[in-house]
Amino acid sequence: MLCPKCNSALDFEEDEIDIGDEFTCEECGANIAVTDTDPLELELSDDDDEEEDEDFDELDADDDEEEEEEDEEEEW
């Protein structure tokens, strides 16, 4: 089975996993969840998406602060 994010081969025993199990890709660090076992289906875990969203939120907050500072400088 391949990682849904980077397509690297994942090392696990298919007969030892259950729906809802989660693990991390050794190559890219993606959090992967087992969504079905017959046939085996994997997808990126929501935790991975939340981390990316937090990164964007932090960038947006930094941009807002810079814009406010520029506005204050223009008023002078």
Side-chain angles (χ1 to χ4, degrees):
M1 188 53 99
L2 300 176
C3 171
K5 186 170 185 177
C6 71
N7 291 323
S8 295
L10 299 170
D11 184 27
F12 60 86
E13 297 295 324
E14 291 186 28
D15 59 340
E16 294 180 7
I17 60 173
D18 296 310
I19 294 173
D21 286 352
E22 293 189 7
F23 53 94
T24 303
C25 174
E26 293 178 7
E27 292 295 318
C28 70
N31 295 322
I32 302 168
V34 178
T35 56
D36 202 349
T37 56
D38 188 26
L40 181 61
E41 292 183 21
L42 305 174
E43 66 180 36
L44 294 175
S45 174
D46 290 337
D47 294 342
D48 222 30
D49 295 338
E50 288 174 14
E51 289 176 14
E52 291 176 10
D53 290 344
E54 288 173 10
D55 291 343
F56 288 125
D57 291 343
E58 289 174 14
L59 291 174
D60 290 342
D62 290 343
D63 290 344
D64 292 343
E65 289 175 13
E66 289 176 9
E67 288 176 9
E68 288 175 10
E69 290 174 6
E70 289 174 4
D71 290 344
E72 288 175 9
E73 289 175 7
E74 288 176 10
E75 289 177 9
W76 289 99

